[in-house]
Amino acid sequence: MDRLDRHISRRAFTVGATLFGAIAATRTMAAPPLTAESPMGPFFPTSYHGEDDFDLTMLKGHKTRALGDVIEISGRVLDRYGKPLKGANIKLWQANAAGRYAHENEQNTAPLDPNFQGVANLVTGKSGEWRIKTIKPKFYDTPLGLRTPHIHFDVQGHAHRLMAQMYFPEEAEANAKDFLYKDLGEGAPTSVAQMMAPSAYRWDIVLMDAA
Ligand SMILES: [Fe+2]
C-alpha cells in the first residue's frame, strides 16, 4: 500500500467511523422511552369473532351509535430507535360507557351496550400509523380497587409483543390512585395519551423492536 492508498484507506475509515458515530448518536438522541408493559387482565377477547374495524362506535346494520362520548385516538407504533413499524398488529379492547366489558369473565352488572364494538384489530400503515374512533370507557370497580378509564392494547411488532394499557391525561387524579397505573412507576407517563383537541388523543407505542 503506498502513501496515497494508506491516506485514502485511513480517510475512509475515519469517514465511516464518523458516520457510524453520527448514526449511533442520532439513534441515542432520538430513542424514545419504551412503552410500559401492563398485565393483560381477565378480559382479553379470546372468543370474539364480531366486527373489529377501527370504528368501535357504529356496527354494520345498526341504526344507533354506541352510548357515551365519542373520541378519536391516533398514534404510531415505533421501534426502540423511534423508527415507524409498518405492518404491526394491534388488538385493543375496552369497557363500554357504563364500565362493562362484553366478556364471559365479566362480573360487573352494569348494562351491556348492543351497539358498542368493544374490540378492534388494526394493522399499522407505512408510517406506523393507526387510529380508532371509539367512546371513552368508564371507570369500573374490581376486588383490588377502582380502575381508572383505560384501553387495553396487545401490540405485535416484527420481533416483540407488548401488552399495554392507555390512560387519559384528564384523569390524572384517578390514574394516580389506580393500582395498575401505580405499578408502572417511572414508565407511567409512556402509558398516558396526549390530548390534541377536545375528544382527540394521540398515543405512540414504542416496542423493543429494531426495524
Ligand atoms: Fe380493563
Side-chain angles (χ1 to χ4, degrees), residues 40-43 93-95 101 140 147-148 150-152 165:
M40 182 169 72
F43 306 124
W93 64 103
Q94 64 167 92
Y101 286 89
Y140 58 86
R147 289 300 331 273
T148 189
H150 61 275
I151 300 178
H152 294 263
Q165 297 183 28

Side-chain angles (χ1 to χ4, degrees), residues 57-59 62 64-67 96 102 111-117:
T57 70
M58 200 73 212
L59 289 162
H62 289 224
T64 312
R65 196 173 284 286
L67 294 169
N96 67 20
L112 282 168
D113 180 351
N115 299 311
F116 182 51
Q117 190 171 292

Side-chain angles (χ1 to χ4, degrees), residues 25-42:
T26 309
R27 284 189 158 186
T28 311
M29 277 165 54
L34 296 176
T35 301
E37 189 165 11
S38 243
M40 182 169 72

Side-chain angles (χ1 to χ4, degrees), residues 45-199:
T46 40
S47 57
Y48 182 81
H49 300 295
E51 194 175 315
D52 62 356
D53 66 342
F54 85 101
D55 184 356
L56 291 84
T57 70
M58 200 73 212
L59 289 162
K60 287 180 189 80
H62 289 224
K63 292 201 171 85
T64 312
R65 196 173 284 286
L67 294 169
D69 297 328
V70 176
I71 57 172
E72 295 205 0
I73 311 172
S74 60
R76 291 171 304 163
V77 175
L78 304 172
D79 77 359
R80 66 176 188 263
Y81 300 115
K83 275 178 62 182
L85 271 183
K86 179 188 167 193
N89 287 285
I90 299 175
K91 183 189 282 291
L92 60 95
W93 64 103
Q94 64 167 92
N96 67 20
R100 165 109 186 236
Y101 286 89
H103 193 280
E104 52 268 36
N105 287 342
E106 178 64 289
Q107 304 288 312
N108 186 351
T109 54
L112 282 168
D113 180 351
N115 299 311
F116 182 51
Q117 190 171 292
V119 175
N121 283 301
L122 314 168
V123 181
T124 58
K126 219 166 41 190
S127 318
E129 77 278 8
W130 60 272
R131 73 184 178 106
I132 55 166
K133 183 174 183 178
T134 187
I135 52 96
K136 186 175 171 185
K138 194 182 175 189
F139 65 86
Y140 58 86
D141 207 1
T142 79
L144 296 170
L146 279 186
R147 289 300 331 273
T148 189
H150 61 275
I151 300 178
H152 294 263
F153 281 75
D154 171 13
V155 188
Q156 295 189 57
H158 304 162
H160 289 90
R161 184 174 182 178
L162 175 76
M163 288 288 172
Q165 297 183 28
M166 190 211 89
Y167 297 91
F168 294 86
E170 70 277 16
E171 302 287 351
E173 207 175 306
N175 293 345
K177 291 179 191 155
D178 182 288
F179 60 97
L180 286 180
Y181 182 88
K182 282 195 273 192
D183 277 354
L184 298 173
E186 287 181 0
T190 65
S191 297
V192 183
Q194 279 177 278
M195 191 185 271
M196 308 307 287
S199 308

